[in-house]
Amino acid sequence: MKFKFLCRVLVIAVIALSAVSCNDNLDPIGFTIQPGPDRLAVGVDTLELQARTVQIDSIFSKTQYPVLGEYTDPVFGTIKSEYIGEFYFPEGAQFHDGASIDSVRVQLAYTTMMGDSLSPMGLSVYEVTKSLKGINNYSHVDPTEYADMSAPLGTQTFTGKNSTYRTETTSSGSSIKVYEINVMLPNALGEKFLAEYKKEGHGQLVNVDEFRKFFPGLYFTTNFGKSTILNVSLTSLLVHYQYLDKGGTYDGKGDTIRTSAMRLNITPEVTQINHIQNKNDQLLEENPDYAYIKSPAGVMTEITFPLSEMDEKLQSQALNLANFTVYAMPEPDEDTMVKLSPPTYLLLVNKDSLAGFFENRKLEDKITSFISEFDASTYSYSFGNISTMINHYNEKRGGNSDEFELVYYLIPVDATYVSQQTSYYGSSTPVLTAIQHRMWPAAARLDKRKGNLKLDMIFSNF
């Protein structure tokens, strides 16, 4: 009988949802299904939700692919992003005997940019003088506190689509342009490296832990221009040198001069932190019609579920379905060059569960957290049935009559999925493996007008 009852609940719920979806202004309704002892009462109701824009001080911003540049959106304000990082020193890295320094440069490689790709920007590189070991991995960390700001090691003017690029072939066979910004640094830095390497046992140029004490890293920031933001895929430090290769001619009878380089990269094994500055004052002003989400750096929408309004039903009936969809509001300016687009994914997470969520690499659990992908055809994020969330906290509070409301955040995120084979015949399903704060710029206005931000709920008798 239990199985039969559950089947009926599911069937009626689906039928009721089909009816509900055709009505944008729901009034509480109900109906019964017979016959006899299996009589089932099903009711549909709507809960209006509350929303406001909030901002937290900082976000967890340890990243493999930092964002660099400054950009002003006509609606969502200004974003400035810079980063600070250590360089990984692999064991076995070396200078050849007789090395003589030629030049030193740092190279930033990227394939993704936004804004005006032809407008000039200025890049400055500073030497880090304090160890980054144990640094707070949050976006409010001020890199200037760790770097020598008396003068930059090097500067360079660039545009998003520099003339310096290389073409690479992806695993799918397509070609992509990898753009590069090269900043020349003083040869004295290379001489410092070479002098340390010549010490007994190669001094501190032996492994990553010793090297980070010797050379704590570099700080990258823009010094002019507000038109372009880059997603840096690789940052490399190259110390170019020449050396005498004795007997190195083709016949082995003569000496020849050869060139080489010690190349060090910022990798996931070392520290790299994005520092984000936002001007969001206009987004935080109270508005009766919409709330904002924006990345990077913690502008999000707070959703309040006033479940006390449904207390009688939650205490006496079973909640079978609670559909939740958030609608974004398209911006009138369709010029993509000066417009931030909605984030691909939104995370719905309990306010009390946010601390540690990203640091501990948590995934959605369908109670304290849910994830949704942006649907461009409806301009919305559908979280589907979130009744597990409401039922969990309803059971947790027991039968007390205290005010019952849940507060959740909507946060722009990046989600990583992998395909997992589910059958012998090769069909597969996407499996969520990681959720991170979205560091690439994105923004949207969310519709919170009466009747548009709501829960469509279906109840049945126990």
Side-chain angles (χ1 to χ4, degrees), residues 384-422:
N385 180 15
I386 63 170
S387 62
T388 52
M389 172 189 90
I390 299 171
N391 288 331
H392 170 79
Y393 288 106
N394 190 40
E395 293 176 10
K396 190 174 180 180
R397 73 179 184 128
N400 68 61
S401 57
D402 294 342
E403 184 179 11
F404 182 28
E405 70 175 26
L406 299 175
V407 179
Y408 275 64
Y409 289 142
L410 288 171
I411 303 175
V413 295
D414 286 327
T416 303
Y417 288 86
V418 298
S419 295
Q420 187 175 81
Q421 188 168 333
T422 55

Side-chain angles (χ1 to χ4, degrees), residues 436-450:
Q436 299 96 16
H437 272 294
R438 183 178 176 89
M439 302 306 293
W440 190 241
R445 291 190 304 170
L446 302 182
D447 190 352
K448 68 171 189 176
R449 292 172 296 179
K450 184 176 178 60

Side-chain angles (χ1 to χ4, degrees), residues 54 300-303 347-349 351 354 407-411:
V54 298
M300 54 197 180
T301 291
E302 180 186 274
I303 302 288
L347 175 71
L348 177 68
V349 61
K351 179 179 179 180
L354 178 59
V407 179
Y408 275 64
Y409 289 142
L410 288 171
I411 303 175

Side-chain angles (χ1 to χ4, degrees), residues 206-454:
V206 288
N207 57 48
V208 64
D209 289 327
E210 288 298 313
F211 181 73
R212 63 171 29 125
K213 299 174 186 176
F214 171 74
F215 183 70
L218 293 174
Y219 161 46
F220 302 85
T221 187
T222 52
N223 52 47
F224 72 84
K226 297 183 179 181
S227 59
T228 308
I229 285 187
L230 313 174
N231 196 183
V232 180
S233 55
L234 182 64
T235 305
S236 304
L237 177 65
L238 298 101
V239 181
H240 295 274
Y241 63 93
Q242 57 179 290
Y243 65 97
L244 183 64
D245 184 6
K246 295 182 178 181
T249 57
Y250 71 95
D251 59 5
K253 297 180 180 180
D255 300 340
T256 187
I257 294 178
R258 298 193 183 280
T259 60
S260 186
M262 175 181 284
R263 183 183 186 117
L264 307 176
N265 301 320
I266 296 181
T267 69
E269 290 82 5
V270 294
T271 299
Q272 182 172 230
I273 303 296
N274 246 146
H275 176 234
I276 312 295
Q277 296 172 281
N278 264 308
K279 291 183 179 179
N280 297 317
D281 293 346
Q282 75 278 18
L283 306 185
L284 300 175
E285 295 174 0
E286 181 58 35
N287 186 290
D289 295 329
Y290 47 81
Y292 289 100
I293 50 173
K294 179 184 175 184
S295 66
V299 174
M300 54 197 180
T301 291
E302 180 186 274
I303 302 288
T304 300
F305 297 84
L307 294 166
S308 291
E309 297 177 18
M310 293 288 173
D311 191 61
E312 182 178 345
K313 288 188 175 181
L314 289 171
Q315 296 291 357
S316 61
Q317 299 181 48
L319 175 63
N320 304 118
L321 283 162
N323 267 9
F324 181 46
T325 299
V326 179
Y327 292 91
M329 301 176 70
E331 297 301 324
D333 189 349
E334 295 300 327
D335 184 355
T336 56
M337 182 176 289
V338 292
K339 175 186 174 184
L340 294 179
S341 299
T344 306
Y345 297 97
L346 274 188
L347 175 71
L348 177 68
V349 61
N350 190 300
K351 179 179 179 180
D352 296 332
S353 300
L354 178 59
F357 184 92
F358 296 98
E359 296 87 336
N360 297 323
R361 301 178 181 179
K362 293 183 178 180
L363 301 176
E364 64 171 344
D365 60 12
K366 302 294 186 182
I367 295 176
T368 64
S369 56
F370 301 79
I371 196 165
S372 176
E373 184 174 2
F374 180 65
D375 185 341
S377 64
T378 59
Y379 230 72
S380 67
Y381 298 88
S382 175
F383 292 91
N385 180 15
I386 63 170
S387 62
T388 52
M389 172 189 90
I390 299 171
N391 288 331
H392 170 79
Y393 288 106
N394 190 40
E395 293 176 10
K396 190 174 180 180
R397 73 179 184 128
N400 68 61
S401 57
D402 294 342
E403 184 179 11
F404 182 28
E405 70 175 26
L406 299 175
V407 179
Y408 275 64
Y409 289 142
L410 288 171
I411 303 175
V413 295
D414 286 327
T416 303
Y417 288 86
V418 298
S419 295
Q420 187 175 81
Q421 188 168 333
T422 55
S423 74
Y424 175 81
Y425 298 100
S427 62
S428 61
T429 184
V431 176
L432 180 65
T433 58
I435 301 175
Q436 299 96 16
H437 272 294
R438 183 178 176 89
M439 302 306 293
W440 190 241
R445 291 190 304 170
L446 302 182
D447 190 352
K448 68 171 189 176
R449 292 172 296 179
K450 184 176 178 60
N452 293 338
L453 186 64
K454 60 185 179 179

